[in-house]
Amino acid sequence: MPSYLFQFEELAAFTHHVAPDTLFAFDLDGTLAPIVIDYGEAKVAKSVRSVLQRLMGLAKVAIITGRSRQDAIGILGFQPHLVIGNHGAEWPGRSSERRWELVQLCLKWRDRLHTALFYEPGIEIEFKGESLSLHYRKCEDPQRALVMINTAIDDLEPPPRTIGGKYVVNVVPAEAFGKGEALAAAMEELGCSRAIYFGDDETDEEVFRLARSDVFGVHVGKNDHSAATYYLNQQSEILGLLNSMVGILEAHCESESQCCDG
Ligand SMILES: [Mg+2]
């Protein structure tokens, strides 16, 4: 069961992990951006954006989101060192390696789901390339909508991996990279010997379940079933934590008098 981060011993352990060679990795929705009814309206607060940009001058910053990369970069309003989209499956600068067979499969699934869910008002099918998201937040009877969605997904061939979320079901090809694999690969790519990962959703549990001693997991929101070691009460607490991380890193810089970006 995760313990609340803003306590003496927990903060001491956390501070120990905050170093120039730490990868600071974040989910986007519900973590850096508050959850909104219309998923197209998500925004990162200016204050959060500016402290993230300061953080980028001191250490490596990555975003691992269920959204497409392009969508995520638009919401962030700046480009961190690494933005990985589609729950870990979509990487930058590898367009030649883009998993077109996965994109094709998702297109086929999208058409099938459109047909199957045509008479269910309120369900939105979002095609993101290497994955699909079925949103049902706007449905009059969300429970019924979820049953309909799961029934439609059961008919898909080949069977996809599904990841639940807050009023969303994500449909991912079975062979695609998940967030856990993506975080490990990101640490390697960016040359980081440890990571702190912040997330709020079921997809983020793949990272928390890695249970690596060099990965420090923080769940945004209290959830006794999370595999994360620590949690924050609410999304708004992320700003204070970001500010403290920047403060700790600046102190590192001063003590070593070899600051990265000055
Ligand atoms: Mg999230």
Side-chain angles (χ1 to χ4, degrees), residues 27-31 33 35 65-66 166 179 199-204:
D27 164 53
L28 182 54
D29 292 85
T31 299
I35 297 283
T65 173
K166 298 188 178 91
K179 282 193 173 188
D200 71 310
D201 237 323
E202 216 180 293
T203 53
D204 302 305

Side-chain angles (χ1 to χ4, degrees), residues 28 69 125 142 152 217 228 242 252:
L28 182 54
R69 275 178 32 79
I125 303 173
L242 284 166
H252 262 284

